Amino acid sequence: MRRPGAFLSALVLTAAPGASTLASAEAEITGFVQANYAARLPGAPCASETACDFPLGEERVQLKIEGFSEDGSAGFVGKADLFHDAVLNESEVEIREAFVDLLGRYFSLRAGRQIVTWGVGDLLFINDTFPKDWIAFFTGRPLQYLKIGSDALKIELHPRSLSVEIVVVPFFQSDRLPTGERLLVANPFPSGLPRRESTPERSLENTELSAKLSRYIGAWELAAYVSRTHYRSPATTLDQSMDPGEIQLFFPRLNTYGGSLAGGLGSGVFSLEMGYYDSVEDTEGTNPAVENSQFKGLMGYTRPLWADASLGLQVFGEWMQDHDAYRSTLPAGSPVRDRPRWTATTRFTQLLYHQTLTLSLFAFWGLSEQDAYLIPSVRYAFTDSLWGEFGANLFSGEESHTMFGGLDTNDNLYLTARYSF
């Protein structure tokens, strides 16, 4: 359990003018009890250290407490999960969120652990550089567990028709990525080498800053983004190329710049987002361990089809800036990534039986890499408080170095049941 978020919350509670009114706020407690299991389809070549048959098996209780002052100028939220991980036979407490809010006429301030989501993509992220849990996503945990809370200070300003968000994150948080413990991943390095991960030091220099400026023009929302952050996935290299003793993982600096727009078009919603990833520690593109600078963009459209049915389509592209330099530094025989890399997505949703039954399919199609990732699911709401979901994570691809081809041995079926109170 990390404590910086709680420290930020306590600091603001002590210093804020609304602290006295917040202290007298009435609190409401809600939560849920959840069981969530995933079983891998047979035939995977699992290593001994991998949870092969059941990559996920857990029972979880979440308690959420929230309150607001009588005049609405202050509030707080605390959300904690207690869970038993049957795969690793461990029990833990995780603070998902813990923050305080101070609200003024033209500003608001949120301090503490919080989940920040930016951008207009559907499961595609460009200007949302905040941390994510891809292990949870690939093993069928509910979608809310894709995002990880950041210990941050967020300031929102509302001068006239503009909205300005500034997020300050003093403490680096990486993505949670498959490591071989639950999901099988390809390893291009010699097997058996120890891995040493170095995260950015907690210092003022490494404090991450992100800003978003947005406004509505008619029914369209326009936004501009800028951030000074780090890559959430580690760069990986060997300590010595000829006689390696360990695999080294580190998180290079990253600056991003981008924009988005979204609004009604015809009978649906159109979205467009673009961004430039400035790889600060490899401006020439000659370090094979560090991602080259890239342009990224997506375009999407979602519209209803018939009663209680909708279809969403997206096209996502990445364009590497220094592709020639990237090719020249690759070791002999290494696979070469295409300079433009294209991915398409499809989301189909159908509600039935008075919207108690939800049929869903989300599909990623790797147009450049000829791979795919399908997520079909069926959810039924037994009551207003109890629902269950059965679904699958199905990966496909001929090459192990592609985005979804590398996960091809991780096909799994998952089952979730949740009772809310």
Side-chain angles (χ1 to χ4, degrees):
M1 184 191 311
R2 295 173 59 186
R3 302 185 61 82
F7 171 74
L8 283 174
S9 302
L11 180 64
V12 172
L13 272 172
T14 303
S20 58
T21 55
L22 184 58
S24 61
E26 293 187 5
E28 179 184 12
I29 299 177
T30 57
F32 60 79
V33 179
Q34 175 179 287
N36 197 184
Y37 309 101
R40 192 188 311 272
L41 297 186
C46 292
S48 58
E49 66 271 18
T50 302
C52 192
D53 292 339
F54 297 99
L56 174 66
E58 66 172 30
E59 299 81 35
R60 182 179 294 261
V61 178
Q62 181 176 101
L63 294 177
K64 178 182 178 182
I65 180 171
E66 59 183 335
F68 298 91
S69 61
E70 290 185 359
D71 61 0
S73 63
F76 66 91
V77 171
K79 191 184 296 182
D81 282 18
L82 167 64
F83 63 94
H84 174 249
D85 185 337
V87 174
L88 303 181
N89 195 26
E90 297 175 349
S91 296
E92 291 190 29
V93 175
E94 179 184 20
I95 304 300
R96 295 281 300 165
E97 293 183 276
F99 58 78
V100 295
D101 281 331
L102 299 176
L103 309 174
R105 184 174 180 181
Y106 298 111
F107 80 98
S108 64
L109 184 151
R110 174 169 293 178
R113 182 165 298 179
Q114 55 193 289
I115 291 174
V116 183
T117 299
W118 286 354
V120 298
D122 184 4
L123 296 180
L124 293 173
F125 304 97
I126 297 178
N127 294 293
D128 183 341
T129 58
F130 302 103
K132 301 165 187 70
D133 187 343
W134 294 106
I135 299 175
F137 185 65
F138 293 146
T139 55
R141 285 189 181 130
L143 190 58
Q144 70 193 81
Y145 287 96
L146 172 60
K147 298 302 293 285
I148 303 172
S150 299
D151 297 321
L153 177 68
K154 184 170 76 170
I155 303 168
E156 292 189 41
L157 306 173
H158 307 287
R160 298 181 181 276
S161 58
L162 292 175
S163 176
V164 180
E165 293 182 42
I166 300 171
V167 180
V168 183
V169 183
F171 315 109
F172 174 78
Q173 170 71 57
S174 67
D175 282 354
R176 294 173 185 166
L177 298 166
T179 60
E181 188 175 55
R182 300 174 188 272
L183 297 171
L184 301 172
V185 290
N187 179 15
F189 298 104
S191 60
L193 287 180
R195 303 165 72 90
R196 183 167 63 87
E197 181 177 292
S198 302
T199 56
E201 294 182 359
R202 294 181 176 182
S203 65
L204 192 60
E205 182 182 1
N206 286 327
T207 295
E208 299 182 347
L209 297 170
S210 301
K212 173 185 175 184
L213 173 66
S214 63
R215 68 162 297 175
Y216 277 92
I217 299 179
W220 290 80
E221 183 187 26
L222 284 74
Y225 311 85
V226 61
S227 73
R228 180 188 186 280
T229 181
H230 298 82
Y231 282 99
R232 303 292 173 193
S233 301
T236 309
T237 188
L238 297 172
D239 60 337
Q240 300 180 62
S241 58
M242 299 302 294
D243 184 22
E246 66 177 14
I247 302 171
Q248 298 177 337
L249 301 92
F250 59 100
F251 298 86
R253 278 265 297 105
L254 170 67
N255 293 336
T256 70
Y257 314 89
S260 69
L261 67 86
L265 182 65
S267 59
V269 176
F270 175 80
S271 56
L272 179 69
E273 184 171 351
M274 302 186 72
Y276 176 66
Y277 278 40
D278 181 11
S279 186
V280 180
E281 297 185 24
D282 187 27
T283 55
E284 301 297 325
T286 54
N287 185 342
V290 179
E291 286 278 353
N292 282 16
S293 298
Q294 295 182 77
F295 292 94
K296 300 190 178 189
L298 70 83
M299 183 169 57
Y301 189 68
T302 301
R303 60 156 295 174
L305 293 178
W306 50 77
D308 292 330
S310 63
L311 177 68
L313 303 171
Q314 295 180 115
V315 177
F316 174 76
E318 301 170 285
W319 191 83
M320 188 185 297
Q321 181 171 308
D322 298 303
H323 196 257
D324 290 341
Y326 155 77
R327 289 175 61 100
S328 68
T329 58
L330 287 177
S334 298
V336 180
R337 201 171 84 184
D338 291 342
R339 181 169 204 174
R341 186 164 62 178
W342 296 98
T343 304
T345 74
T346 305
R347 179 186 288 278
F348 172 75
T349 304
Q350 174 72 67
L351 305 178
L352 299 169
Y353 300 110
H354 306 289
Q355 301 185 347
T356 57
L357 179 65
T358 303
L359 309 178
S360 176
L361 172 66
F362 194 96
F364 296 88
W365 310 100
L367 304 179
S368 300
E369 299 187 329
Q370 301 297 302
D371 57 0
Y373 174 28
L374 308 181
I375 316 171
S377 66
V378 179
R379 175 182 292 202
Y380 184 71
F382 297 94
T383 68
D384 289 342
S385 302
L386 177 64
W387 60 261
E389 180 172 312
F390 176 72
N393 291 285
L394 305 174
F395 305 91
S396 175
E398 296 295 327
E399 305 292 340
S400 62
H401 65 273
T402 65
M403 189 180 306
F404 303 122
L407 295 166
D408 192 28
T409 54
N410 292 292
D411 293 347
N412 63 79
L413 305 177
Y414 69 86
L415 177 66
T416 306
R418 176 183 293 185
Y419 176 77
S420 303
F421 55 86

